[in-house]
Amino acid sequence: MIGGLSVSIGLFNLLPFLPLDGGRLVLVAIEACRGRPVAEKDEKQLYRIGSSILAGVAIVSAFFLFKFIG
């Protein structure tokens, strides 16, 4: 069970949202294709968007968890 949880957390971390490692990989791929780094302002904006999405997912997940339990 602990191994399954560890794998699940690892896969979740590979989601392509910037605060996570998957988002970093996407950003590196974009920089490799463009041949130049992404502007710091754009990177910060992507970070905010990704953080907002993840916060929204956490809130919705908690809502459904408490609804299921209650």
Side-chain angles (χ1 to χ4, degrees), residues 7-62:
V7 169
S8 297
I9 291 171
L11 291 175
F12 181 80
N13 198 23
L14 288 176
L15 288 175
F17 299 118
L18 195 52
L20 301 175
D21 290 338
R24 276 269 151 223
L25 292 173
V26 170
L27 194 64
V28 167
I30 290 171
E31 290 176 350
C33 290
R34 291 177 58 195
R36 63 181 192 272
V38 175
E40 188 175 335
K41 180 180 89 172
D42 295 335
E43 188 175 344
K44 285 182 181 180
Q45 185 66 23
L46 290 171
Y47 192 89
R48 282 188 208 110
I49 292 169
S51 296
S52 298
I53 290 171
L54 290 175
V57 168
I59 290 168
V60 169
S61 298

